[in-house]
Amino acid sequence: MDVSLIVAEAPLDILREAGTLISALPDCRSLSGPALGMYAMIHRERVCDQPFILGELLVTSAEAEVNGEIGYSCVLGDEPERARFGAIIDAALRTDHERSDALARVLERAGAIVKERHNQEKILAEATRVEFDVRPN
């Protein structure tokens, strides 16, 4: 499963576990953030092929460094912990360190939780399916 999806949707306590595991390393440091910002959601309208700003999204971003590798995270909403731990995880996955295996196990567990949630949402959505009986005149 994509790590970005795990950072965006996994329970915060599991991200905290993964981030704390890595942030305890002596060569882990925060570079910037977490910081709030706004991101313009732009859509290209099809008739005139012009960009159209649908609105602005509140985001939280952060940067971290592990073993000289820089990680970045940008998440929807006011989520400073999620952004900070996301940046630490991103940086940690770009380098080898003594906690790589432990981090992989935590992220695997987080991915399973996200996947199970998606499966439950799919089941709930499927229950609302409507089938129309369309007959020619």
Side-chain angles (χ1 to χ4, degrees):
M1 177 171 287
D2 183 30
V3 175
S4 296
L5 183 61
I6 292 172
V7 169
E9 297 189 21
L12 188 56
D13 60 327
I14 293 180
L15 290 182
R16 189 178 294 120
E17 179 184 345
T20 303
L21 183 73
I22 303 305
S23 62
L25 293 171
D27 53 357
C28 178
R29 65 187 183 106
S30 178
L31 297 177
S32 69
L36 289 175
M38 299 297 282
Y39 179 80
M41 180 182 257
I42 300 174
H43 177 72
R44 185 164 290 279
E45 74 76 30
R46 295 180 182 183
V47 176
C48 297
D49 197 34
Q50 295 293 315
F52 175 76
I53 297 178
L54 293 172
E56 291 184 326
L57 302 171
L58 176 67
V59 296
T60 309
S61 62
E63 286 181 299
E65 182 180 6
V66 176
N67 281 352
E69 293 291 335
I70 296 177
Y72 180 76
S73 178
C74 184
V75 297
L76 286 175
D78 185 1
E79 296 252 26
E81 274 192 293
R82 187 175 298 276
R84 185 169 71 87
F85 291 133
I88 290 169
I89 291 166
D90 184 48
L93 290 173
R94 297 173 188 272
T95 183
D96 286 331
H97 48 81
E98 66 265 17
R99 298 192 177 164
S100 293
D101 291 340
L103 176 61
R105 285 191 299 274
V106 174
L107 292 178
E108 187 176 316
R109 195 171 78 234
I113 291 170
V114 171
K115 185 175 182 178
E116 177 60 28
R117 184 182 308 141
H118 284 191
N119 289 340
Q120 291 299 319
E121 289 171 356
K122 184 177 179 181
I123 290 168
L124 290 172
E126 191 65 33
T128 66
R129 180 186 297 245
V130 177
E131 292 190 30
F132 294 96
D133 185 17
V134 180
R135 297 179 188 182
N137 289 337

